[in-house]
Amino acid sequence: MSIERDLKKDGITMIEPLDTLSVTLIAKFVAEKFISFFPFSHFRYHNLFVKISRLGMYTANMPEGMSEANYFYKNSSIYFKKGLSIDEMKELTIHEFIHHFQEIKDQKGNLYRLGLCDFTGMKIRGMALNEAAVQFISSQILKKQKDYVKYYGIEFSTTTPSYYPLLCNLIRQMSYLVGDSILYDSTLHSNDTFKNAFIHLTSKTTFSQIEKNFDKILEAEEKIIYATSHLKQDELNEKEIAKASTQIEIYKKVIHDTFMETQNKIFTSYFDKNLTNLYSVQDIEDCRKKLYSYKDLLGTTENYTYFNDYYIYYMSKLDEVYEQITGQTSLVAYKRSLWQILFSKIAKLLGKASETENLYN
């Protein structure tokens, strides 16, 4: 099957190749950004510039709702939506070039690994996880500022408000626990280091469920795009409009519920297991700080109390560990007890500092 026919299956129609000057400017921009963000890596400017310059780059007509740039691995080319400025294409190429960089093909040219995505099994695994990781890394390379947004009733901060914002928020939470450098390495070099590290810190079952939930969110988002596009057709009758509208609401709820489930699963699985790895008072304090700082990563809803409830529960568990390590209860008169310190911090988290201080002093 020809490349053109493959592209048309995705609704992409090539218009024309980019001129040499545009390709050169894009390659220079991307290579410089990579070198700046990974100063101590094995990347070399000249090698990156040549690698990017050799990619096919084309303008194309694309269906509504599709990404404004798409990398096509069969001919190592990037297709940009018609009408984009050169500056827009420069930034979009960061994401698409990462896809090119991470791809691993067999001798016949078949793709079998793409970053965190594995094509070798009966079913593709990690597609949404990889897209989120690539976009998260792209925003870091471009030094995008955090923005506070609200999607599907969920409020959160993100550096990618327009591209996979919910999935990028979740991958950011995972990266916070495992380490950004490990995520970068696995995404760029298509290895299982990130996966294995996360499994080690939680469990294989947890990682598998999170991976599936990422795909579930992405699939629901794609269905919303399709249903919304369907609604714009002039010939729809009232029954068809009502059906499409109902489907959109169902998909929105799927996204909302799956996001909250995934988020709660990520931090509870990690911190529950981490309780068995605390051997000193300093370990306890480091763990508490890590959990407390996690609040800044959360996606929240109007009635979301899960994290605060878990924080209170976890502080009591840390108090038990403290007693086991020191051989004394935390309520011993030792300046302020560990429990008083921890409960004070809980209170501040919940906005009830003054009344709690009075209760426990």
Side-chain angles (χ1 to χ4, degrees):
M1 183 179 289
S2 68
I3 297 298
E4 289 76 13
R5 289 178 62 186
D6 282 345
L7 290 170
K8 284 184 179 180
K9 286 176 61 179
D10 293 328
I12 299 174
T13 304
M14 191 267 283
I15 299 175
E16 62 181 0
L18 265 60
D19 60 87
T20 302
L21 176 59
S22 295
V23 173
T24 300
L25 291 174
I26 290 172
K28 182 176 182 295
F29 175 85
V30 175
E32 288 176 348
K33 289 296 182 182
F34 264 75
I35 295 298
S36 175
F37 189 73
F38 300 106
F40 304 110
S41 70
H42 64 281
F43 294 129
R44 296 294 179 267
Y45 175 82
H46 176 74
N47 293 341
L48 284 172
F49 179 84
V50 171
K51 195 175 182 70
I52 299 161
S53 298
R54 289 177 177 172
L55 294 175
M57 297 187 192
Y58 305 89
T59 57
N61 290 315
M62 299 181 182
E64 186 176 352
M66 179 175 279
S67 299
E68 294 180 317
N70 284 272
Y71 175 70
F72 198 62
Y73 81 91
K74 289 187 177 181
N75 63 347
S76 299
S77 297
I78 301 174
Y79 294 86
F80 298 100
K81 187 175 182 179
K82 179 183 177 182
L84 294 176
S85 68
I86 186 66
D87 288 337
E88 289 173 320
M89 288 190 282
K90 284 178 181 178
E91 293 200 353
L92 289 167
T93 301
I94 296 284
H95 182 110
E96 305 311 321
F97 175 65
I98 291 176
H99 278 319
H100 173 69
F101 188 89
Q102 65 181 187
E103 68 181 7
I104 300 178
K105 300 177 182 177
D106 60 23
Q107 293 181 344
K108 295 182 179 180
N110 297 313
L111 189 66
Y112 71 87
R113 185 69 189 253
L114 194 69
L116 307 181
C117 182
D118 188 345
F119 293 83
T120 59
M122 296 294 293
K123 184 178 180 181
I124 297 173
R125 292 184 291 106
M127 178 68 78
L129 196 68
N130 187 60
E131 280 298 327
V134 170
Q135 184 55 38
F136 174 69
I137 294 172
S138 299
S139 72
Q140 300 300 102
I141 291 174
L142 290 166
K143 294 182 168 57
K144 294 292 186 179
Q145 298 299 309
K146 291 179 184 177
D147 191 11
Y148 287 87
V149 297
K150 185 174 183 178
Y151 289 105
Y152 310 109
I154 305 168
E155 294 184 83
F156 56 97
S157 67
T158 180
T159 54
T160 63
S162 301
Y163 302 98
Y164 309 114
L166 289 168
L167 293 178
C168 285
N169 177 271
L170 291 174
I171 200 72
R172 180 184 169 207
Q173 293 185 37
M174 296 174 73
S175 186
Y176 170 76
L177 300 176
V178 175
D180 286 346
S181 61
I182 296 176
L183 176 66
Y184 298 161
D185 178 67
S186 282
T187 304
L188 292 173
H189 300 292
S190 298
N191 59 54
D192 287 332
T193 305
F194 177 77
K195 173 183 176 180
N196 292 337
F198 192 82
I199 289 174
H200 175 72
L201 294 172
T202 57
S203 70
K204 187 174 182 179
T205 300
T206 295
F207 180 84
S208 178
Q209 186 59 56
I210 290 171
E211 186 178 64
K212 291 176 182 177
N213 283 359
F214 268 64
D215 289 334
K216 189 175 180 181
I217 290 172
L218 182 59
E219 181 181 356
E221 288 180 330
E222 290 173 344
K223 287 181 177 178
I224 287 176
I225 292 172
Y226 175 80
T228 302
S229 177
H230 184 63
L231 276 175
K232 294 180 180 179
Q233 298 179 18
D234 295 332
E235 65 273 13
L236 293 182
N237 57 44
E238 290 187 11
K239 185 176 180 180
E240 290 172 324
I241 293 173
K243 180 180 179 181
S245 299
T246 300
Q247 288 177 333
I248 289 173
E249 291 306 311
I250 291 172
Y251 298 142
K252 285 182 177 180
K253 188 175 188 309
V254 168
I255 293 171
H256 175 281
D257 293 351
T258 306
F259 176 91
M260 301 309 295
E261 172 194 324
T262 307
Q263 171 177 270
N264 296 341
K265 187 72 172 177
I266 290 171
F267 69 77
T268 56
S269 297
Y270 171 84
F271 285 102
D272 282 353
K273 188 168 183 178
N274 198 47
L275 279 172
T276 62
N277 298 317
L278 305 176
Y279 304 104
S280 68
V281 174
Q282 187 60 53
D283 287 345
I284 295 173
E285 179 61 10
D286 291 344
C287 181
R288 183 200 63 77
K289 287 180 179 179
K290 192 164 189 174
L291 177 58
Y292 182 78
S293 296
Y294 202 95
K295 73 184 190 305
D296 298 327
L297 308 176
L298 295 170
T300 61
T301 60
E302 185 176 350
N303 299 313
Y304 181 73
T305 62
Y306 191 95
F307 180 79
N308 288 346
D309 294 341
Y310 181 79
Y311 190 93
I312 293 172
Y313 154 79
Y314 202 80
M315 292 306 101
S316 68
K317 301 303 291 185
L318 289 183
D319 199 45
E320 293 176 7
V321 175
Y322 174 83
E323 184 176 345
Q324 293 171 2
I325 291 174
T326 63
Q328 60 182 0
T329 66
S330 63
L331 295 179
V332 171
Y334 174 69
K335 294 184 179 179
R336 295 175 71 205
S337 72
L338 177 66
W339 176 249
Q340 287 174 307
I341 293 171
L342 296 181
F343 206 95
S344 174
K345 293 182 182 297
I346 297 170
K348 290 178 182 178
L349 180 70
L350 298 175
K352 301 178 181 178
S354 60
E355 72 177 55
T356 310
E357 285 286 330
N358 292 333
L359 181 63
Y360 279 89
N361 280 337

